[in-house]
């Protein structure tokens, strides 16, 4: 009898968790970047398409994202979610900073969700592994200069 109650409780918990995950549709932004750029993991990429997807909310103040440069997946990244200073943005925006050499380094992006604009500041992965073959690794800027905002397109 105890196992039946325990099993029922486990099934109920997984059912509720599955509903919560299903209730959070994946939201993506996409933009064509006109010059080379660096991702938060330090990998350098030539000019091309950048796609960032919010896979799910990780916590009330963080998100889990996947990033693809020119259609090649570059991994999962955690973010810190903040309220942006701008009000309603008509389109999502990507935020870059220029390092000391003038290279664009991805900092984060904005996304409209549930009628509000949220900003996600991407974090450098804690478990840093070697960059994928064929990529150059650059250092993220120690002291960022001005933020460069690029308009993106929302996708799914």
């Amino acid at each position: 009898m105890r196992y039946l109650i325990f099993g029922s409780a486990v099934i109920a918990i997984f059912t509720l968790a599955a509903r919560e995950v299903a209730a959070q549709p994946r939201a993506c932004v996409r933009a064509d970047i006109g010059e080379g750029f660096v991702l938060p993991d330090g990998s350098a990429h030539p000019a091309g398409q950048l796609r960032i997807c919010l896979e799910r909310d990780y916590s009330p103040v963080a998100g889990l994202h996947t990033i693809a440069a020119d259609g090649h997946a570059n991994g999962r990244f955690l973010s810190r979610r903040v309220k942006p200073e701008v009000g309603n943005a008509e389109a999502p925006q990507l935020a870059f900073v220029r390092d000391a050499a003038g290279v664009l380094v991805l900092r984060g992006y904005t996304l409209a969700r549930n009628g509000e604009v949220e900003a996600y500041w991407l974090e450098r992965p804690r478990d840093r592994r070697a960059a994928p073959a064929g990529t150059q690794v650059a250092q993220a800027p120690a002291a960022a200069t001005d933020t460069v905002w690029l308009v993106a397109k929302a996708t799914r």
Side-chain angles (χ1 to χ4, degrees):
M1 182 69 173
R2 219 178 343 167
Y3 294 112
L4 181 61
I5 293 171
F6 177 74
S8 297
V10 169
I11 290 171
I13 289 171
F14 281 115
T15 302
L16 292 173
R19 277 193 201 147
E20 180 65 25
V21 170
Q24 298 177 5
R26 178 173 138 162
C28 301
V29 298
R30 176 175 44 94
D32 291 320
I33 311 302
E35 60 185 272
F37 57 93
V38 175
L39 295 180
D41 65 356
S43 61
H45 301 273
Q49 189 176 88
L50 177 62
R51 179 181 167 115
I52 306 172
C53 295
L54 173 62
E55 296 295 331
R56 66 181 177 93
D57 291 328
Y58 188 73
S59 75
V61 296
L64 184 62
H65 311 265
T66 55
I67 297 178
D70 272 337
H72 303 290
N74 286 89
R76 290 188 162 190
F77 297 83
L78 281 174
S79 69
R80 182 173 41 91
R81 183 177 33 238
V82 297
K83 293 286 183 197
E85 293 177 11
V86 296
N88 283 336
E90 292 181 20
Q93 298 179 333
L94 300 179
F96 290 87
V97 292
R98 290 199 183 272
D99 66 8
V103 177
L104 289 176
V105 179
L106 180 63
R107 174 74 175 102
Y109 69 106
T110 63
L111 180 65
R113 287 180 64 202
N114 304 323
E116 292 186 20
V117 176
E118 296 177 335
Y120 296 93
W121 295 124
L122 298 166
E123 298 178 4
R124 185 177 187 91
R126 291 184 184 111
D127 179 2
R128 176 86 197 267
R129 293 190 177 102
T135 61
Q136 296 177 330
V137 176
Q139 290 291 0
T145 58
D146 295 330
T147 301
V148 177
W149 290 93
L150 301 175
V151 176
K153 179 178 179 179
T155 63
R156 292 244 181 245

